Amino acid sequence: MFKKILIANRGEIAVRVMRACRELGIATVAVYSEADREALHVRRADQACLLGPAPAGESYLNIEKLLQAARRTGAEAIHPGYGFLAENAEFARRCAAAGVKFIGPNAEAMERLGSKTSARQTAAAAGVPAVPGSAALDSPLAAEAAAEALGYPVLVKAAAGGGGKGMRLVRARAEMASAFAAAESEARNAFGDGELYLEKLLENPRHIEVQVLGDEHGHLVYLGERECSLQRRHQKVLEESPSPLVDEALRRRMGETAVRLARAAGYSNAGTVEFLADAGRNFYFLEMNTRLQVEHPVTEMVTGLDLVQLQIRIAAGEELPFEQQDVELRGHAIECRVYAEDPENNFFPSPGRITRLLTPAGPGIRDESGVYEGWSVPVEYDPLLSKLVAHAGSRPQAIARMQRALEEYFVGGIATNLALFRRILRHPEFVAGKLDTGFLDRLLGERTAEDGCATQSEDGAAAEVAAIAAALFAAQPAPGAALSANGARPAEATSPWRRAARQEGLRGGMGRKRL
Amino acid sequence: MVYEVLIGGRSYRVEFKRGEPGYACRVDGREVALESVSGGHEVLWLLVGGRSYEVRRQAQANGIMHLEIRGRRYAAEVHDPRAFRGRRAAAGASAGPCKLVAPMPGKVVRLLKAEGAKVEAGEGVVVVEAMKMQNEIRSPRKGVVKKILAAAGARVNAGETLAVVE
């Protein structure tokens, strides 16, 4: 087993990986940029290396600096987390050349599955059904011909794409030329690769993915599925496992299909095969993510496995410690991605200082956070603050548990999307498990009473309490002044008279300062 | 001490008087049994008529206090009548110059309008990038871009004026 691992990432995932390392008795090395000097992941590591300035290209995406840090600290392996260099085959290759183990699949498998067109070829060769589509296209004319064959509407997609970038919906032939040009330039800018292909548009499908795990000795298993249909702008917002759509038979079919694809690609370590599914329970291969996923905790909760520890053990050459028939799903888990963004202000990011942080606890709750009270969320990176996970015996119980946890959760000073989750979890369609990728857009389009502020008529008693509280807050000294007495003299902050008395006391000299 | 608090279009007159124990509270002249303990920064624990509430102050911006009670949110405007200077009268005017401010710290990546250009309500004027997201700062109303204070490539802080529309 490794003695020391460098984590080439930041935020909550870096903290997550460090926790796994600590439990395995492995020392950890954090890396950080100048914007992250005070970040939580730096404090949680045994050692930390400054990479450079805030821009990711000069820090978290800089392969040379990361390898230098590994060399300098004697780290034997690198965990890439997700995002940044996690799906970069060149990074995996450079690690191998430098004699540092990359915790993930080998570079060849990453390449085979990294480009969407080559992944579709691999899928076709393995007999895995994919969303009907075309091969790589070299011109708008070729795209028009391919679209005629598929039937409109179609999606123009970037082969290197992800997160909705380099993607355009085309409903008719007349829109093709401009959509093709726009997608190509966007793909070139975002991924340095303008290759495009077509996919037939499935209207409001479900997004369901299968977790696979393989060791370096040819063993591969699937660990159930995750329902990830709740998305905004093609970004996942809430995930759960198991999927309300999937029964035992479908789970086996999807799982075996995912394993077949992974085997065909020569895959090892943790990976995720994404499918689109329709109401008739047909499913189509979409893409494979050759890394750990943000939503891995829901799988961990229902399988009882620690995926990060397993990733590390696999990378160290161990065999999978269980077989497919040992995998059992227990209960239901839901994850909410807590972001520093403001749903009431067009989802603007809201970096800034966290003035107060109350985190939920209690049965079945897991808050995987990368922040702390008093820290300023930097503007430079992804605004994911934490992954909040609830696990319970059944889906209704997990929903109730998550609602309870969301009520306990509070982040002061910056806007978050916590209130949006409260809305989602109350929604009758969500409660009924009727999910598709259009759900969140429809929900955001619904105006409800709570979009604005609660009014007197609907909520008189609580509004009056809010009025009393507002007056008490207004009577408090400014934050940072007398609030340093927090805890020691809890009544002080609530009492305007004490504040007045103190001011008089200060004016009257130190002798009268005792409150 | 007297405060006037505006929530959801209704005004509450909240009055505190020192009492035994703690202090007495009146809302619109009506006695309310109140006990209050600080829960630390931004948090108050209240017992109001024997009912328990945890009140969190989410943020304060433009004189509005955003509070959260049991997952419900309230926007409160608090006035100390003795210090009342007609702040409310100044807010919400639809004529006169209107500042477009950066909602978060970030970098100005593009100017979509030049000084002197006409803008429609909801039209983007400046693009600010923060946290890997590009965000259009839009004009809340129709008018003419009187001034552009942001330069492409410049870093801006939250609340900084980027442009003025008149």
Side-chain angles (χ1 to χ4, degrees), chain A residues 229-414:
Chain A
S229 296
L230 262 65
Q231 305 185 353
R232 189 182 154 268
R233 291 192 189 167
H234 305 282
Q235 301 274 3
K236 295 167 191 164
V237 170
L238 178 151
E239 304 95 345
E240 55 185 303
S241 183
S243 161
L245 181 80
V246 176
D247 58 18
E248 202 50 58
L250 182 56
R251 179 167 305 121
R252 185 173 312 115
R253 269 204 297 143
M254 292 181 88
E256 287 172 356
T257 305
V259 164
R260 196 159 71 236
L261 176 74
R263 195 177 300 286
Y267 199 85
S268 62
N269 217 289
T272 295
V273 183
E274 297 192 334
F275 296 102
L276 293 181
D278 63 22
R281 302 192 178 197
N282 303 302
F283 60 90
Y284 307 95
F285 169 66
L286 185 64
E287 63 182 64
M288 181 156 182
N289 294 317
T290 58
R291 55 173 163 84
L292 193 68
Q293 303 262 109
V294 179
E295 58 272 27
H296 74 276
V298 293
T299 297
E300 294 187 322
M301 300 313 279
V302 296
T303 58
L305 299 169
D306 187 312
L307 289 178
V308 179
Q309 288 194 13
L310 285 164
Q311 281 192 295
I312 294 168
R313 291 171 60 181
I314 288 167
E318 289 186 21
E319 290 191 32
L320 271 186
F322 56 86
E323 290 175 34
Q324 188 63 57
Q325 66 259 30
D326 304 323
V327 177
E328 258 182 86
L329 305 189
R330 278 174 196 276
H332 197 97
I334 302 175
E335 174 185 275
C336 293
R337 297 190 184 191
V338 183
Y339 280 108
E341 63 183 18
D342 188 357
E344 288 179 15
N345 186 16
N346 205 20
F347 290 87
F348 269 140
S350 80
R353 189 166 172 274
I354 296 172
T355 54
R356 188 71 202 271
L357 184 63
L358 298 177
T359 50
I365 291 300
R366 166 171 168 184
D367 177 49
E368 223 157 88
S369 161
V371 304
Y372 59 90
E373 188 174 307
W375 187 56
S376 287
V377 181
V379 299
E380 285 85 356
Y381 309 109
D382 190 84
L384 181 61
L385 301 177
S386 169
K387 308 173 302 230
L388 176 62
V389 185
H391 182 223
S394 67
R395 188 169 189 267
Q397 288 168 353
I399 292 174
R401 184 159 277 173
M402 181 61 92
Q403 282 170 326
R404 186 265 295 171
L406 286 167
E407 217 170 274
E408 290 179 16
Y409 217 139
F410 174 62
V411 183
I414 59 173

Side-chain angles (χ1 to χ4, degrees), chain B residues 109-140:
Chain B
V109 287
R110 257 194 315 282
L111 302 176
L112 302 172
K113 294 281 171 189
E115 279 183 14
K118 285 186 178 142
V119 281
E120 293 296 322
E123 209 179 349
V125 179
V126 181
V127 181
V128 175
E129 186 180 271
M131 298 177 136
K132 301 199 311 188
M133 290 255 303
Q134 296 203 351
N135 305 289
E136 265 188 34
I137 311 303
R138 303 190 171 108
S139 173

Side-chain angles (χ1 to χ4, degrees), chain A residues 165 232-233 340-353 355-356 358 373 377-383 406-416 419 422 449-450 452-456 458-477 479-480 483-484 486 490-491 493-499 501, chain B residues 1-10 12 14-19 22-28 30 32 34-46 48 51 53-60 65-79 103-107 128-138 155-156 158:
Chain A
K165 286 206 180 75
R232 189 182 154 268
R233 291 192 189 167
E341 63 183 18
D342 188 357
E344 288 179 15
N345 186 16
N346 205 20
F347 290 87
F348 269 140
S350 80
R353 189 166 172 274
T355 54
R356 188 71 202 271
L358 298 177
E373 188 174 307
V377 181
V379 299
E380 285 85 356
Y381 309 109
D382 190 84
L406 286 167
E407 217 170 274
E408 290 179 16
Y409 217 139
F410 174 62
V411 183
I414 59 173
T416 68
R422 296 186 187 118
E450 71 200 281
C453 299
T455 58
Q456 156 72 11
E458 78 193 50
D459 202 4
E464 185 173 304
V465 172
I468 293 168
L472 285 169
F473 274 121
Q476 279 184 5
L483 283 179
S484 57
N486 175 25
T494 67
S495 167
W497 296 279
R498 286 181 186 220
R499 180 172 61 121
Chain B
M1 297 182 109
V2 183
Y3 294 90
E4 207 182 297
V5 184
L6 200 67
I7 292 179
R10 182 188 184 305
Y12 299 81
V14 183
E15 214 174 324
F16 300 119
K17 223 176 231 151
R18 190 198 285 275
Y23 37 86
C25 170
R26 284 168 170 277
V27 178
D28 298 331
R30 179 170 38 85
V32 172
L34 171 69
E35 281 184 47
S36 154
V37 175
S38 168
H41 291 235
E42 321 285 22
V43 177
L44 282 176
W45 291 321
L46 303 183
V48 181
R51 284 179 182 274
Y53 299 90
E54 181 174 279
V55 185
R56 293 105 169 242
R57 178 166 60 177
Q58 221 280 318
Q60 268 190 116
M65 204 185 277
H66 292 273
L67 301 177
E68 192 188 285
I69 304 176
R70 290 192 187 136
R72 298 213 71 139
R73 305 215 277 177
Y74 301 86
E77 208 180 324
V78 184
H79 298 285
M104 66 269 159
K107 197 174 113 186
V128 175
E129 186 180 271
M131 298 177 136
K132 301 199 311 188
M133 290 255 303
Q134 296 203 351
N135 305 289
E136 265 188 34
I137 311 303
R138 303 190 171 108
R155 296 206 141 270
V156 288

